[in-house]
Amino acid sequence: MTATARRIAVLAALGRNPVSGKARPNRDDLLALELARQLGGDLTLIHAGNPDEAALGDYFAYGASSLDLVPLADGGDVASALVTRLAGYDLILAGSRAEGGEGSGLVPYLVAETLGLPIVADVIAITLGDEATEVTQALAKGQRRRVRVTLPAVIAVYPKALVTPRYAYARRLAGRVTTYVAPAMEPVASPWHREAAKKRPVKFRAAETKSGHARMLSAIVAEARGGAVIAAGTPADKAQAILAYLRLHKLIDW
Amino acid sequence: MSEALKRINPRRPFQVTAEGLKRIVLGVAGEAGASVHVAHRDATPKPLRLRGEPTGQHLVIAHADRGALTAHAHEAIAAAALLADAATAVTVLVFGDLSEKLAPFGADRVIVAAVGDGAHFDPDRELAVAAEQVARLAPRHIVMPDSAIGDGDLGRRLAARLGVSVATHVVELAPTGVAASWRGGAEMARRDLPRMLLLDPGTTDLALPFSGAGERVEIEVPPFPDSRYRDLGSPPVDSAQLGLEDADFIVSAGNGVADVPTLLALAKTFDAAIGASRVAVDDGRFARHQQVGATGKTVSASVYMAIGISGAVQHLQGIRAVRHVIAINTDASAPIAQRADLTIVDDAQAVMEQLLEATRGRNFAPGVTP
Ligand SMILES: Cc1cc2nc3c(=O)[nH]c(=O)nc-3n(C[C@H](O)[C@H](O)[C@H](O)COP(=O)(O)OP(=O)(O)OC[C@H]3O[C@@H](n4cnc5c(N)ncnc54)[C@H](O)[C@@H]3O)c2cc1C
């Protein structure tokens, strides 16, 4: 690939096993790590959180060799803590969503905005060039899109990217953690209140002010939502009607 | 014995009233089984939600695909309209060409940013336009569909740029607050209404008792000179290799299709994936993985051509998310006609042959020039 070794950072969060609740590497971030490993270059993992978490070592088993750790209390501002260690990288890779806490998928965007870097999400493949990188994005319905983006850049990896992280215990023992000082940050209370998910979410709908009869009518009308019916004409006319419909709604290119 | 029984023709002529009810009018002669007259439903317009001059607004931002927004984006508009009080307008900023009306979903003003193809990746330019509109309109809330790509991507860019309070993957909302599912659905987290909301699909009921004003303005979008991104295009994908769930165009056969090779030729012409009803699968004409419906696959194509399919509820369950359903059926009163956007009442074989005839030599697969 490229002659000069690229400096690549992978943002790593901790997830939780959905059954046991035990901490483990975040699945999406493991995909980012594996994609970064395949690119070669000089790779560093960066984590903001509790420095005593043993599960961080598992990232070494999956192929990281060094980890920069920024201590951060639970509920702290992850993006601000991460950017303190992100200067000078050519490529910053992240998973799409953290499975541990909020999982908003916002962190890579906040990091990119703070550092003034471009960001491409839902990436499944990366080819590094000298000043730019070409990435392939996964779109809806099996479509792909290739995008050229200038370096340095932030890349968020598609959750179903076709890479398989592999665990090796020997690597787990060889990893090295560097702990940095925590950035001075005002603690802010999270606006979120968490509760166990029990009920199904309630749909947001207009307050019902109609009479019972009107409600019944609207329920029936909602079901009978048929469109145009064409019964007259020859089969050839009807075939043209179908093509006209498809053309009208830009569903075929003609 | 038998002459004593009074026989009633179950397919007597009927009318469909404006309320969508079937009415059998005694004494009216007509062809058995045919509906005499289909009146237009919903003749009375809904009242406007907005009373007088608005004092503020909510902003919805979405991308159009082939002239229309997704149902997911419609929900975001409806949610904004339901959040708004009588003095708050709902403004919708649409990227890409738009040919559908958004007033039924509650849009009072529609700003169409003509960026050409809404699917083209040009985030620097869209972000500049969106940030400018937010600065100009000072919306109370910004509501967007949290779609996998496109709106979800632009929404996160905008949230990061504006530095506002934001809730993503919102699964439940009300004027008092929002809820999002955390830790993969194990926890529900609630908070008050943030400035910006990215909604998961299925949060909002589209049936509204009111309508928006639906004024439309078009704005010019200057090109963004030093964009850091360049869209290199999408390589064509072979639709035959896509799963039914991923297909954008599906030609589907039911019990009314006797000639399978013609159907396969039709699917090839439209570059479509092939689906089938359970009956067509059970009798061996199609493979099990092609079955659409409750016990088969759930599809979300843009076009679903249902040929010789009656439209049993179990089948309709599989095509709930389809945008355009086109039915070909000899029976105009088959349930599929209630779901289809276009119903052709005729013999499937004849119409399929005419379709092949009319498109002879053409192939709608992307990358194939006719
Ligand atoms: C538990 C359960 C689960 C099920 N799950 C599924 C499922 O996942 N998917 C599914 O599809 N079904 C499912 N079914 C079966 C479903 O109820 C229907 O029986 C089935 O969908 C009917 O298939 P059809 O429309 O092809 O056949 P039919 O009901 O026989 O309909 C054939 C249609 O073709 C029309 N027709 C006939 N000849 C012609 C012609 N020459 N030209 C044009 N039109 C013609 C007829 O007017 C009729 O409307 C399920 C049923 C049960 C009980």
Side-chain angles (χ1 to χ4, degrees):
Chain A
M1 217 170 295
T2 45
T4 50
R6 292 293 188 183
R7 291 195 68 204
I8 303 176
V10 176
L11 309 184
L14 280 180
R16 290 207 176 273
N17 184 309
V19 180
S20 67
K22 265 184 75 174
R24 65 171 186 192
N26 195 39
R27 220 199 69 94
D28 285 6
D29 297 340
L30 285 178
L31 298 179
L33 171 62
E34 187 58 29
L35 216 56
R37 269 165 48 80
Q38 292 177 7
L39 287 174
D42 179 5
L43 194 141
T44 308
L45 212 62
I46 300 177
H47 173 73
N50 179 3
D52 303 323
E53 194 53 79
L56 278 174
D58 283 339
Y59 272 111
F60 297 130
Y62 282 107
S65 53
S66 65
L67 185 134
D68 284 6
L69 201 146
V70 187
L72 186 74
D74 222 16
D77 182 350
V78 176
S80 305
L82 287 172
V83 292
T84 59
R85 297 299 324 152
L86 281 174
Y89 286 98
D90 298 306
L91 207 56
I92 300 169
L93 267 77
S96 279
R97 261 183 104 165
E99 56 189 10
E102 185 170 346
S104 66
L106 265 170
V107 169
Y109 288 88
L110 291 168
V111 166
E113 183 66 30
T114 315
L115 298 174
L117 300 182
I119 171 165
V120 186
D122 287 320
V123 167
I124 54 169
I126 305 173
T127 318
L128 272 179
D130 280 341
E131 276 136 41
T133 169
E134 257 180 52
V135 299
T136 306
Q137 272 182 305
L139 308 184
K141 295 186 177 157
Q143 306 291 315
R144 302 279 184 262
R145 172 165 65 201
R146 291 195 309 125
V147 173
R148 191 180 160 80
V149 57
T150 56
L151 288 176
V154 180
I155 307 276
V157 177
Y158 186 61
K160 291 180 215 150
L162 285 177
V163 289
T164 316
R166 296 197 191 285
Y167 188 96
Y169 185 69
R171 290 196 297 227
R172 193 186 199 287
L173 303 176
R176 185 164 40 76
V177 180
T178 319
T179 305
Y180 292 87
V181 284
M185 265 190 285
E186 289 284 308
V188 272
S190 167
W192 293 96
H193 313 281
R194 308 160 72 143
E195 58 190 58
K198 292 184 296 267
K199 291 172 293 188
R200 280 219 281 160
V202 182
K203 252 196 182 183
F204 191 27
R205 47 168 57 95
E208 199 65 82
T209 52
K210 286 183 282 189
S211 68
H213 178 66
R215 273 214 307 276
M216 187 191 73
L217 277 186
S218 64
I220 296 168
V221 175
E223 252 168 45
R225 45 165 288 216
V229 178
I230 299 180
T234 64
D237 296 341
K238 291 168 181 166
Q240 286 303 334
I242 293 180
L243 292 174
Y245 181 92
L246 292 175
R247 241 172 288 164
L248 174 69
H249 292 93
K250 299 188 188 139
L251 299 164
I252 52 174
D253 212 357
W254 193 348
Chain B
M1 180 66 189
S2 64
E3 72 264 29
L5 271 178
K6 195 163 179 255
R7 307 292 303 239
I8 296 175
N9 178 3
R11 295 173 189 259
R12 279 176 297 183
F14 62 87
Q15 293 186 351
V16 181
T17 66
E19 284 80 41
L21 295 172
K22 240 185 212 182
R23 283 268 175 276
I24 292 170
V25 185
L26 296 176
V28 173
E31 199 190 326
S35 62
V36 175
H37 164 68
V38 179
H40 253 291
R41 301 169 278 122
D42 245 15
T44 48
K46 289 179 180 166
L48 285 190
R49 184 185 58 78
L50 212 54
R51 306 274 153 73
E53 225 9 71
T55 57
Q57 52 201 318
H58 295 334
L59 179 65
V60 180
I61 307 176
H63 288 80
D65 176 30
R66 284 171 289 196
L69 299 186
T70 58
H72 192 179
H74 292 158
E75 284 184 11
I77 302 174
L82 288 172
L83 285 179
D85 56 24
T88 305
V90 173
T91 303
V92 184
L93 172 61
V94 177
F95 288 100
D97 300 327
L98 182 77
S99 48
E100 73 169 341
K101 290 205 164 30
L102 299 180
F105 307 107
D108 297 311
R109 289 232 323 289
V110 182
I111 305 174
V112 180
V115 289
D117 183 4
H120 189 78
F121 191 63
D122 201 351
D124 274 344
R125 186 179 177 203
E126 290 177 359
L127 182 58
V129 174
E132 186 191 313
Q133 292 297 330
V134 170
R136 194 173 67 83
L137 303 168
R140 291 183 182 142
H141 292 289
I142 303 168
V143 187
M144 293 181 71
D146 201 349
S147 53
I149 194 139
D151 300 327
D153 183 57
L154 182 63
R156 287 178 174 75
R157 286 173 197 273
L158 189 61
R161 172 68 49 92
L162 300 174
V164 295
S165 58
V166 54
T168 65
H169 292 292
V170 170
V171 294
E172 190 180 301
L173 78 161
T176 48
V178 296
S181 71
W182 283 15
R183 290 189 46 204
E187 276 178 11
M188 190 85 124
R190 295 181 186 277
R191 63 165 291 170
D192 52 342
L193 269 194
R195 176 97 188 278
M196 203 168 162
L197 297 90
L198 300 183
L199 308 182
D200 265 358
T203 52
T204 309
D205 193 346
L206 287 179
L208 299 176
F210 50 73
S211 154
E215 285 165 41
R216 180 181 166 128
V217 284
E218 318 246 336
I219 55 168
E220 284 295 317
V221 181
F224 197 87
D226 17 63
S227 172
R228 298 163 295 180
Y229 311 87
R230 205 165 81 222
D231 190 335
L232 302 176
S234 305
V237 273
D238 184 1
S239 304
Q241 295 200 353
L242 283 183
L244 266 183
E245 299 94 331
D246 281 337
D248 194 47
F249 199 130
I250 298 175
V251 171
S252 195
N255 205 13
V257 174
D259 182 5
V260 176
T262 309
L263 183 108
L264 298 184
L266 194 65
K268 197 160 171 20
T269 307
F270 287 116
D271 186 36
I274 296 156
S277 76
R278 174 152 164 188
V279 174
V281 169
D282 279 352
D283 65 13
R285 271 173 286 170
F286 296 91
R288 184 61 66 196
H289 67 86
Q290 292 173 314
Q291 181 179 322
V292 173
T295 44
K297 299 220 161 130
T298 303
V299 300
S300 59
S302 297
V303 191
Y304 187 81
M305 215 183 262
I307 307 182
I309 294 180
S310 60
V313 278
Q314 293 90 353
H315 190 81
L316 295 183
Q317 264 171 35
I319 59 171
R320 223 180 259 159
V322 172
R323 177 101 66 90
H324 301 277
V325 177
I326 300 177
I328 306 176
N329 202 306
T330 42
D331 180 4
S333 59
I336 189 84
Q338 302 283 315
R339 170 66 178 85
D341 302 277
L342 175 66
T343 305
I344 303 288
V345 185
D346 210 326
D347 179 49
Q349 186 63 23
V351 177
M352 284 199 294
E353 276 166 12
Q354 288 302 326
L355 266 176
L356 281 175
E357 181 71 31
T359 55
R360 190 195 290 284
R362 271 180 180 275
N363 188 328
F364 296 106
V368 179
T369 31

